[in-house]
Amino acid sequence: MRDTRESRLLLVLLVAIAFALITVDIRGGERSPLDGVRHAAASVFGPVEKGVASAVDPVGNAVAAVRDSDERHNRISALERENTGLKQRLGSDDRNRGRAAELDAMLKTAGRGQYGIKGAQVIAIGAAQGFSWTVTIDAGSRDGIKRDMTVLNGDGLVGRVTTVARDTATVLLANDPKFTVGTRMEKSGELGFANGQGAGVLRVELLNGKAAVRPGDRLVTFGSSRDKPFVPGVPVGEVTRVEPAGGSLTRTLQVRPFVGYSKLDIVGVVVEPPRTDPRDTVLPPKPEAPKPTPTVTVTVTPSASAKPED
């Protein structure tokens, strides 16, 4: 349309008519005479507007995408939480199975030695009163725990109770340098004293400097007067090295303890000593040495009919 006086008058007329229609529509409300026209126009142009808006409105598309993404993210997060929960339950089951095995081994050890024990769990490492090899257990005086009671697990001697509170107790581990326990050699019965070295080895001084000892021999606790702090027969460890006597009145041994002090979990406090000394019966049976494979030698003798060559 060319810009003429007539076109400008037509534009003004159309704008005036539009304002008049808007005024009539507003004043009419829901009974507006233009309501039917408006619905008809919406039916015709609505799908087109939606399609055009989707094509030309990147902000609206982004918001919708974020909303859908949130819904997908929520679903994925829910699945991840379920997966994590399953893994945690599986891990917990594995741990429970491991702890059940530890408890079973400890009960078997207590049964062989006829020890009355109170089961406990290690809940802390170290003590407030100093730098020593100690652990805290979740059993105390209300559970019948007293100072100077023997502590063991399924492998053997863990240590002794040193401090008791109402619900907890402190245990000095056998590898602490201040720890000393009387020992007895398996079979020979040679007596000695084991001292902690702060690591994975115990140092044992046998009273008999001429005692016949070799690597692989095992030791148990000798026991204390009135069974405090140690009951007899608890497995201590296995000899790994016998130091030369050198004319000394005693014999020094390096002993690997049966208990792994860095991975303690379930332990038992001996609240009732055995009626009789179990001596070596608490020690587990030694694995049988592999039997040598018999060697068969076949000797071929010359036949009597064979003739020597010329």
Side-chain angles (χ1 to χ4, degrees), residues 190-293:
E190 294 286 353
L191 303 180
F193 292 94
N195 297 97
Q197 300 295 299
V201 178
L202 303 178
R203 181 184 178 90
V204 176
E205 295 286 342
L206 292 183
L207 301 181
N208 181 4
K210 297 181 180 180
V213 188
R214 58 183 180 181
D217 289 347
R218 302 183 296 182
L219 304 90
V220 298
T221 56
F222 175 67
S224 307
S225 173
R226 299 183 180 179
D227 299 307
K228 286 189 176 184
F230 301 107
V231 294
V234 181
V236 174
E238 181 178 289
V239 177
T240 57
R241 183 173 182 270
V242 181
E243 296 183 2
S248 175
L249 298 178
T250 61
R251 197 75 186 270
T252 304
L253 315 175
Q254 297 294 323
V255 174
R256 178 185 59 82
F258 291 127
V259 172
Y261 302 108
S262 62
K263 52 183 180 180
L264 292 170
D265 187 9
I266 304 297
V267 298
V269 182
V270 180
V271 294
E272 196 172 321
R275 293 183 178 179
T276 58
D277 187 346
R279 297 188 71 86
D280 302 337
T281 59
V282 187
L283 286 167
K286 274 191 173 183
E288 295 184 2
K291 297 181 180 180
T293 304

Side-chain angles (χ1 to χ4, degrees), residues 120-123 135-139 145 161 167-171 267 269:
Q121 181 182 356
V122 174
I123 57 174
V135 295
T136 302
I137 58 175
D138 62 351
I145 308 301
V161 177
D167 298 302
T168 61
T170 301
V171 178
V267 298
V269 182

